[in-house]
Amino acid sequence: MPKPPERFQKLAHQFDLVADMINECVDPKQRMLLLCHMKIILNEIDELISSNLNRDSQVNISSPPPNQPTAES
């Protein structure tokens, strides 16, 4: 599986292609299919972003807090 930035770029490119196809399409049924495909791409992008946010928050939680001055300092 590609790295997240590569995967995001690939999905963004696919989204742009589908958007262009929708703009050129005149058949309502075909437009609906393209919109459904666009929704699938958006869900994949959302999942990718969410998984990266979750991973980043887990890294932040597991890392020790920065040294903070205590009341005794």
Side-chain angles (χ1 to χ4, degrees):
M1 178 175 252
K3 295 179 183 178
E6 293 169 2
R7 179 74 179 138
F8 183 83
Q9 290 297 325
K10 185 176 180 180
L11 289 169
H13 181 68
Q14 288 177 358
F15 185 87
D16 289 339
L17 290 175
V18 174
D20 289 341
M21 292 169 68
I22 288 172
N23 289 334
E24 297 173 6
C25 185
V26 293
D27 178 29
K29 289 181 182 179
Q30 184 66 27
R31 285 177 65 88
M32 187 59 72
L33 289 173
L34 290 169
L35 287 169
C36 289
H37 187 67
M38 189 178 272
K39 181 180 178 185
I40 291 169
I41 295 170
L42 285 173
N43 286 340
E44 288 184 46
I45 291 171
D46 183 55
E47 184 178 315
L48 183 63
I49 291 170
S50 295
S51 66
N52 283 333
L53 288 174
N54 288 340
R55 186 194 70 222
D56 290 346
S57 67
Q58 288 176 353
V59 168
N60 290 338
I61 290 171
S62 64
S63 62
N67 291 337
Q68 296 180 4
T70 61
E72 298 171 2
S73 313

